[in-house]
Amino acid sequence: MLVAGNWKMYKGPGETRDFLAAFRPPDGVEAVICPPFGSLGAAVASGRTIFAQNVHWEDEGAFTGEVSTRILLELGVQGAIVGHSERRQLFGETDETVRLRAEHALEAGLRVIACVGELNEERERGETEDVLRRQVSVLPEHEALVVAYEPVWAIGTGKTATPEQAQEAHALIKSLLDVPVLYGGSVKPENAPELLGQPAVDGALVGGASLDVESFTAICQAAATPS
Ligand code: PGA
């Protein structure tokens, strides 16, 4: 099982060092921390597995505000999230840019967590399967690729998919692409055992609850001892 903490735009280098000094993930789970760009160096120094929250598809160039695979690799970063719904909704990320980012990062030797997931309106209109098929269709099959199913209506809202909804979406994704699939969207210590206990759930991508060392450790614990 893989449990990744997506810190979004929280925690500078000082808070990052404090968190990682206190963080002792249990055996039997791979814990990954994804801090903001400015805290990557401090995070790597802890010796933990560190991923970035995004990565560009060119090696270098005039791309203000972006970061390259080369820079991440030089820092000692091992992977990157691509296609997070906040990138898609707030920063104009499309299936095509997600494809470019994922392909280039994998070619460069980074691991990738590619996020997919439907909006609330899409679920209500019965379009979840179509959306997931479309978003997954651009991703390459690769041993270093992991998909995160994050229903957008469950991110940061306190609403989670039911274990049955997660299982159904994960099974669909796995039928399209033979990769591990993480669940994301309001994962907390209280709901982690049931979600992680679903057969097609291979781990979690955790936002808010990854900012607190105790709650993130508890989620890692649930992944290490699935119910
Ligand atoms: P959340 O965020 O756990 O705060 O809902 C998940 C994510 O955005 O990856």
Side-chain angles (χ1 to χ4, degrees), residues 6 8 84 150 154-156 185-186 205-208:
N6 173 14
K8 310 192 178 185
H84 189 277
E150 299 206 306
I155 295 178
S186 298
L205 181 55
V206 186

Side-chain angles (χ1 to χ4, degrees), residues 4 6 8 81 84-86 115 150 154-159 184-188 205-210:
N6 173 14
K8 310 192 178 185
I81 298 172
H84 189 277
S85 69
E86 286 151 18
C115 303
E150 299 206 306
I155 295 178
T157 57
K159 291 186 200 164
S186 298
V187 177
K188 302 201 165 34
L205 181 55
V206 186
S210 72

